[in-house]
Amino acid sequence: MATEGTETTDAGTPEPPGGDGGGEARPGGPAVVLPAVDIPEGHGMGRIRLVQIYRIGSLVLGLLLLIVFVQAGTALYGNNQARDVLINRVDPATLEQFRLSTAVTLQDMAIRDYAQDGRAEHLNRYRDAVRQEADSAARMRRLLSGVAGSEEVDRLLNEATSDSGIWRTEFADTIAAGPGGQGVEPGRSQQARRLLNEVSGDMTPLQNGIAKLHDRASTELRSRARTAQWSAVAALALVVVAALALVLLFRRTVLTPVSTLTGRVRAVSQGDLGHSLDVPGPAEINELAAIIDAMRTRIIDGWRASEDKSRLLNEQTEELRRSNAELEQFAYVASHDLQEPLRKVASFCQMIERRYGDQLDDRGRQYITFAVDGAKRMQALINDLLSFSRVGRMSQPEESVDLGEVARQALDNLGALCEETGAEVEIGDLPDVPGDRTQLIQLFQNLIGNAIKFRREGVPPRVTIDADRDGEEWVFRCADNGIGVEPRYADRIFLIFQRLHPRDEYTGTGIGLALCKKIVEFHGGRIWLDTDDRGDTPGTTFRWTLPARPPTTNGDDS
């Protein structure tokens, strides 16, 4: 289907369906390079950066914690050492001292029994006791080796073992070497008792020395335990103090400045553009405040410039509105005022032809025909201009318009043309949409009329009108089997007074599709020539959109 209008040499580029290419809108224009922000020189804490503050703080805190933990570790180590000395060395040495004393007593009892009855088992007991004495003395020396204050105990142990050895040499070993069972001479027994008493006398100082060493180790353990306990308490206290110091430092250097900056930025965002953003704090906070303050300054400058431009734009808009109103009024008045002269021209020309036709030659009658035809075309053009100017100005919108009924009404208006050309028009299921019924009838009538008018020679016109739902809008289609439109004219055909064919081939004023475009856009839609739908099939397909009617309360959608 072609369009009406005078031919021109320029060809427009076809606009893709949707008007905006169907793609996502992206901001255009060149990038804006903002001037660099002059960061003011800080004062006080503002001269120190956060990384420096936290680096120094971390170093100091790390050194303090290291000192405290080394102290606590040393105290715990000393406590463990003291406990080891007491439990694993002094206490076992005390037990060995009692075993040593018991072994000496067992030696005396066993050797005397052997001297009385000569039984071998008493001799074995004696020898076992001797080995026990030697083992206990050796274990005591080994346990107390390196223990502070053990020198006196070692000396007393040597005296006791030496006296015990003398007793065995002069008495017990002599009896053990004999056959036994012969008794002990009283004098010799008395001498042996004296030597044994010396050994027993050595045991008491040895026991006292062990007791003193035990008391000393216990005292050392208690002292080390108290030191370890207070070191742990000091370490815990320092950790708590360090945590509090970190909290205070973080609050002083980050939370408080950021909270202050947030409050001032919020005040600016709520419209107080004159609010100062000078925030005390570390260098980073100062820089951030300076950058935001520079943004605030640019916003104020931009807002002032925008206010000036908005005021100028409002003035220009008001002037344009007033000019448009005057032009519409002029078009309306001119169209009405021109109707009467044109009717007179046409009527009087026809009267001249009827009354003086026999006196005119063929050229005269041809001139009269030209004048009448020009007057009629001028009347049609004025009527079309009047209809074009009324779109959006003289509107009676309805909440719901049945487009099926609208299409049938438009088809009834074209009944004579359809009957004359044998046109077949198929109207699918069309929805209800909000809009102006009269203008929508005119939309369908123009599209169907153009489809029938621009038909191929000898081929009955076939027109199909249908619609599909696409999200929040309806997409309509009007397809025919006419002469078609070249894709390069896709934009041009919607311009007013644009024609692709001479007037003697197809009649019209060249305003039909421009009027359709204005009606569709007035209803919030868009219209375009579908250049991809036909393929090699002859004909034209127009598509346009209209907003869908909001759903009813029960969820039904027309």
Side-chain angles (χ1 to χ4, degrees), residues 494-512:
F494 292 105
L495 299 178
I496 192 170
F497 300 138
Q498 296 297 305
R499 297 176 58 91
L500 302 181
H501 303 279
R503 188 174 291 105
D504 56 356
E505 291 185 13
Y506 297 98
T507 60
T509 60
I511 204 173

Side-chain angles (χ1 to χ4, degrees), residues 290-311:
I291 293 171
I292 297 177
D293 195 58
M295 293 173 58
R296 177 184 67 88
T297 303
R298 286 194 289 268
I299 290 173
I300 292 176
D301 295 340
W303 173 73
R304 289 172 179 170
S306 177
E307 283 292 312
D308 296 338
K309 293 180 180 179
S310 296
R311 183 169 57 255

Side-chain angles (χ1 to χ4, degrees), residues 96-109:
E96 294 300 329
Q97 187 272 330
F98 283 109
R99 288 177 178 175
L100 177 67
S101 178
T102 303
V104 172
T105 303
L106 289 176
Q107 290 176 36
D108 180 61
M109 293 174 59

Side-chain angles (χ1 to χ4, degrees), residues 54 57-66 68-69 233-251:
Y54 285 101
S58 300
L59 181 61
V60 172
L61 178 62
L63 290 176
L64 290 177
L65 291 177
L66 179 62
V68 170
F69 284 126
V233 171
L236 180 61
L238 183 59
V239 169
V240 173
V241 171
L244 292 177
L246 283 177
V247 170
L248 293 177
L249 181 63
F250 187 73
R251 181 176 180 179

Side-chain angles (χ1 to χ4, degrees), residues 120-141:
E121 61 181 35
H122 297 306
L123 184 60
N124 292 334
R125 286 171 50 208
Y126 167 74
R127 292 172 178 169
D128 290 340
V130 173
R131 286 194 296 271
Q132 179 180 347
E133 178 188 353
D135 292 343
S136 296
R139 281 195 291 271
M140 285 182 66
R141 290 187 181 95

